[in-house]
Amino acid sequence: MTSKVVLSLNNLHVKFKTLAGTINAVRGVSYNLYEGETLALVGESGSGKSVSTKAITRVLPGNSTISGDGIIYKGENLLEKNEKDLTRIRGNDIAMIFQDPMTSLNPVMTVGYQIAEPLIEHQHMNKKEAKKRAIELMNKVGILKAEERYGQYPHQFSGGMRQRVMIALAVACHPKIMIADEPTTALDVTIQAQIIELLKDLNKEYSMSTIFITHDMGVVANIADRIAVMYAGKIVEYGTANEIFFNPRHPYTWGLLMAVPDMELKDQDLYTIPGSPPNLLHVPKGDPFSFRNKFALNIDLESEPPMFKVSDTHYAATWLLDERAPRVEPPKEIFDRWEFFKTNIENKSVVKE
């Protein structure tokens, strides 16, 4: 039985007008987010991960243009909402944890009041009730001596503690959807693991659906139920965690998986995908990944591939899946990492559908 869809993106496009021209940052992104699941958006910097999620509640700069067939939440199209409606939805229904809490938190406002503010605004609590609830949330996310630290400022917290403040702020109003934009990038691996476990616990406790943005496939294996791989503003592969890790079909996904360092693999150089992502001021003809893809076919230089169906839950946009294409097997280096991926996937909380 399939879970209920809580959010649906349909053919989303985002463009930015700049002095150099128009940047086609997001090009026809579509996906469903299901109740209680964690969907990971993965890909290199500039692939459109953050922009596509910020478009959901329209927290993009003024030079952006958002279009498409709809962003559907609770049966309504968010693209048609006015600013007043979106202000009510932000934080209350759809919350966001940003990559750098130091720039996201207000430096001249105490962290406690920043957590209490949405409770006053959206939950209509008085200041006393909001403070009590904010302290409870600070305790819940692992901030010691929360009552004492309520009155402190962001610069008095470490990077990991600031991220915990951001998480407390995000879950304050029990949102239905959490968007976590690379929340562990600036943290060391020990703190990173703690934050991941905290997010998994809160996701389960509050029955939230989470969109987790990252470029770290090791983190993805530990947290994601489904994965959307993005490249050059588009989703190029989409499937369950098991499908993406153990049956990847797009050469770009192969590259991302081979780039995951595994300490068990001795005497092996770290892999990097050759070349650089394309300039989205001028989207190249054909498949944008073809110039970095040693398996590229002649048609990749002429026509962008459609999404080919691998299974009912697994799709990939590569001409290698066309029935006329030569058979190409994934590089053996991916199989060398399967035990590492398997361990991480088994250790995560899996959403049952």
Side-chain angles (χ1 to χ4, degrees), residues 5-14 26 28-33 39 41 48-57 66-73 77-79 94 177 179 211 230 235 238:
V5 175
V6 294
L7 181 73
S8 182
L9 272 65
N10 302 296
N11 193 31
L12 178 69
H13 290 260
V14 180
V26 177
V29 165
S30 300
Y31 60 77
N32 291 328
L33 178 66
L39 170 68
L41 299 185
K49 307 183 301 296
S50 296
V51 171
S52 64
T53 53
K54 288 178 180 177
I56 294 171
T57 53
I66 306 171
S67 61
D69 299 331
I71 299 173
I72 309 302
Y73 174 66
N77 187 357
L78 298 184
L79 292 180
I94 303 174
I177 297 170
I179 299 171
I211 300 174
M230 293 192 68
I235 292 175
Y238 183 70

Side-chain angles (χ1 to χ4, degrees), residues 43-117:
E44 294 165 290
S45 296
S47 60
K49 307 183 301 296
S50 296
V51 171
S52 64
T53 53
K54 288 178 180 177
I56 294 171
T57 53
R58 301 218 297 272
V59 288
L60 290 170
N63 66 331
S64 62
T65 302
I66 306 171
S67 61
D69 299 331
I71 299 173
I72 309 302
Y73 174 66
K74 290 185 175 180
E76 298 182 300
N77 187 357
L78 298 184
L79 292 180
E80 298 173 353
K81 294 292 183 183
N82 58 36
E83 185 61 26
K84 183 178 179 181
D85 291 334
L86 288 171
T87 299
R88 189 188 72 249
I89 291 169
R90 294 178 193 131
N92 197 40
D93 289 64
I94 303 174
M96 196 157 191
I97 303 170
F98 294 99
Q99 182 174 347
D100 184 1
M102 192 61 192
T103 58
S104 302
L105 293 169
N106 190 328
V108 298
M109 187 183 290
T110 65
V111 295
Y113 186 74
Q114 291 185 64
I115 298 169
E117 191 174 34

Side-chain angles (χ1 to χ4, degrees), residues 192-248:
Q192 181 183 86
Q194 293 173 7
I195 295 297
I196 293 295
E197 287 305 310
L198 174 60
L199 288 171
K200 286 159 64 174
D201 291 344
L202 291 172
N203 189 80
K204 185 176 181 181
E205 180 177 348
Y206 291 115
S207 300
M208 292 186 297
S209 302
T210 301
I211 300 174
F212 194 96
I213 301 167
T214 185
H215 58 268
D216 188 334
M217 295 298 282
V219 170
V220 171
N222 191 256
I223 198 169
D225 300 303
R226 285 187 308 126
I227 300 166
V229 180
M230 293 192 68
Y231 185 79
K234 299 193 79 168
I235 292 175
V236 297
E237 188 159 9
Y238 183 70
T240 66
N242 279 324
E243 287 168 334
I244 299 300
F245 280 102
F246 302 118
N247 186 30

Side-chain angles (χ1 to χ4, degrees), residues 81-330:
K81 294 292 183 183
N82 58 36
E83 185 61 26
K84 183 178 179 181
D85 291 334
L86 288 171
T87 299
R88 189 188 72 249
I89 291 169
R90 294 178 193 131
N92 197 40
D93 289 64
I94 303 174
M96 196 157 191
I97 303 170
F98 294 99
Q99 182 174 347
D100 184 1
M102 192 61 192
T103 58
S104 302
L105 293 169
N106 190 328
V108 298
M109 187 183 290
T110 65
V111 295
Y113 186 74
Q114 291 185 64
I115 298 169
E117 191 174 34
L119 296 168
I120 296 169
E121 176 71 24
H122 295 298
Q123 303 293 311
H124 308 297
M125 293 183 182
N126 60 43
K127 288 185 178 180
K128 185 177 180 180
E129 292 171 331
K131 179 178 180 178
K132 180 181 177 182
R133 177 60 181 153
I135 291 171
E136 290 173 357
L137 286 165
M138 290 172 73
N139 278 313
K140 183 178 286 293
V141 300
I143 297 174
L144 301 177
K145 299 180 180 178
E147 192 161 357
E148 177 183 325
R149 305 209 74 179
Y150 179 92
Q152 293 182 340
Y153 293 86
H155 72 271
Q156 295 174 283
F157 285 68
S158 67
M161 284 295 120
R162 284 195 293 266
Q163 197 58 281
R164 290 174 188 270
V165 171
M166 284 295 299
I167 293 169
L169 200 163
V171 301
C173 296
H174 294 192
K176 294 296 183 186
I177 297 170
M178 170 82 77
I179 299 171
D181 188 357
E182 302 203 40
T184 61
T185 298
L187 307 176
D188 66 53
V189 290
T190 303
I191 303 301
Q192 181 183 86
Q194 293 173 7
I195 295 297
I196 293 295
E197 287 305 310
L198 174 60
L199 288 171
K200 286 159 64 174
D201 291 344
L202 291 172
N203 189 80
K204 185 176 181 181
E205 180 177 348
Y206 291 115
S207 300
M208 292 186 297
S209 302
T210 301
I211 300 174
F212 194 96
I213 301 167
T214 185
H215 58 268
D216 188 334
M217 295 298 282
V219 170
V220 171
N222 191 256
I223 198 169
D225 300 303
R226 285 187 308 126
I227 300 166
V229 180
M230 293 192 68
Y231 185 79
K234 299 193 79 168
I235 292 175
V236 297
E237 188 159 9
Y238 183 70
T240 66
N242 279 324
E243 287 168 334
I244 299 300
F245 280 102
F246 302 118
N247 186 30
R249 305 305 295 269
H250 197 287
Y252 181 60
T253 309
W254 299 347
L256 292 178
L257 293 174
M258 287 193 293
V260 176
D262 184 353
M263 300 304 290
E264 297 299 317
L265 299 177
K266 301 184 185 300
D267 302 322
Q268 200 171 90
D269 293 333
L270 287 175
Y271 177 83
T272 57
I273 301 173
S276 302
N279 182 350
L280 294 181
L281 277 168
H282 310 286
V283 180
K285 184 180 178 182
D287 183 353
F289 188 61
S290 61
F291 301 100
R292 308 173 71 188
N293 178 14
K294 70 176 183 180
F295 305 105
L297 307 172
N298 288 337
I299 193 173
D300 283 308
L301 301 176
E302 298 296 327
S303 180
E304 197 160 18
M307 273 288 189
F308 288 92
K309 182 177 179 179
V310 181
S311 73
D312 287 343
T313 54
H314 189 188
Y315 296 82
T318 171
W319 286 114
L320 292 176
L321 291 176
D322 189 285
E323 60 183 13
R324 297 164 292 180
R327 177 116 179 131
V328 176
E329 295 295 334

